[in-house]
Amino acid sequence: MTTKDYRTKGSLRIFFSYFKPHLRLFLLDMLCALLVAAIDLAFPLVSRQALYTWLPDRAYRVFFLAMGVVVAAYVLRSVLNYVICYWGHTFGIRRDLFTHMQDLGFDFYDRNRTGQLMSRLTSDLFDLTELAHHGPEDTVTSCITIVGALVVMFTIQWRLALVVAVLIPIFALVVTTQRKRMAAVSKEVKQKVGHINTEIESSLSGIRTAKAFA
């Protein structure tokens, strides 16, 4: 990403462009998220089958075999979570933004304090990279979990599943409303953190003068 790209392209276009160099890793990350969601959905089904069928029928061999498969599935789930949590943080946003800031003129630094810029490069970009990494996988995992759980519930007790399905749009509306409020509060907090970093930067960089007058 060059300085010209930052000046000519939109924010979303710049954001999504970082997925292209890591497309294979992104697809691997999404595959791991799908498998994790599938394992989480399968566990209640296996547990129900074990409690209502295998144990009452004294099918212990099938029961212990299924429990062995469950243990292996959760070991696999741990490996998948390792891939998701560790290997997914490879976006080069902070590197490109730092390179972009090195290309800016002196007038830019005359208008912006060092503490504000440090806040953008650290705490703000941390949230952005977390969104780039966990946003797609969390969305896919949540959707699969909700849809899969509803399907299972409809096969067991459709009346209860219908009640839950009716409540989901209400929860979605509440979450959307709260998200807008939280976004405004989060922006305000980031601005305050930037001001705090600016004051700290000014105090520490001029510590000799401050101690002389103190």
Side-chain angles (χ1 to χ4, degrees):
M1 189 66 62
T2 62
T3 301
K4 182 180 179 181
D5 294 328
Y6 279 110
R7 293 174 176 173
T8 57
K9 295 182 178 180
S11 300
L12 287 178
R13 189 177 178 184
I14 293 174
F15 177 74
F16 286 116
S17 66
Y18 283 96
F19 288 92
K20 186 176 181 180
H22 311 287
L23 185 59
R24 292 183 179 179
L25 182 60
F26 174 72
L27 294 177
L28 175 63
D29 186 76
M30 296 301 294
L31 177 61
C32 292
L34 289 173
L35 293 176
V36 168
I39 292 173
D40 290 340
L41 283 174
F43 179 74
L45 297 176
V46 175
S47 301
R48 185 174 186 272
Q49 187 72 13
L51 293 175
Y52 287 93
T53 303
W54 298 330
L55 289 179
D57 295 342
R58 297 184 178 182
Y60 298 120
R61 182 176 181 181
V62 177
F63 172 77
F64 286 112
L65 180 62
M67 293 304 103
V69 173
V70 169
V71 171
Y74 270 85
V75 172
L76 175 62
R77 188 180 185 278
S78 301
V79 176
L80 297 175
N81 274 325
Y82 174 79
V83 174
I84 293 173
C85 296
Y86 182 78
W87 291 105
H89 295 86
T90 56
F91 292 94
I93 301 177
R94 183 174 286 108
R95 176 201 61 210
D96 289 351
L97 184 56
F98 183 72
T99 303
H100 166 66
M101 292 178 68
Q102 289 180 312
D103 295 333
L104 296 174
F106 293 114
D107 58 332
F108 173 80
Y109 294 97
D110 292 337
R111 298 191 306 268
N112 297 275
R113 301 294 297 272
T114 303
Q116 289 277 2
L117 299 178
M118 287 293 296
S119 178
R120 299 294 178 268
L121 284 171
T122 53
S123 61
D124 293 358
L125 269 184
F126 174 78
D127 295 337
L128 189 61
T129 53
E130 286 297 298
L131 172 64
H133 175 213
H134 294 293
E137 73 188 31
D138 287 346
T139 301
V140 171
T141 303
S142 299
C143 291
I144 292 176
T145 302
I146 292 174
V147 173
L150 285 175
V151 171
V152 173
M153 291 178 66
F154 270 108
T155 60
I156 298 174
Q157 178 53 260
W158 67 270
R159 296 177 182 85
L160 180 60
L162 187 61
V163 173
V164 175
V166 171
L167 292 176
I168 289 177
I170 300 176
F171 283 122
L173 180 61
V174 173
V175 169
T176 302
T177 304
Q178 295 300 319
R179 184 190 64 82
K180 293 180 180 179
R181 295 179 180 178
M182 291 180 63
V185 174
S186 177
K187 183 177 180 181
E188 183 180 353
V189 169
K190 292 183 185 303
Q191 291 175 347
K192 290 181 179 180
V193 171
H195 289 306
I196 293 173
N197 288 338
T198 298
E199 295 299 326
I200 294 175
E201 179 267 332
S202 298
S203 300
L204 294 180
S205 61
I207 191 65
R208 292 181 180 275
T209 303
K211 289 175 69 69
F213 282 97

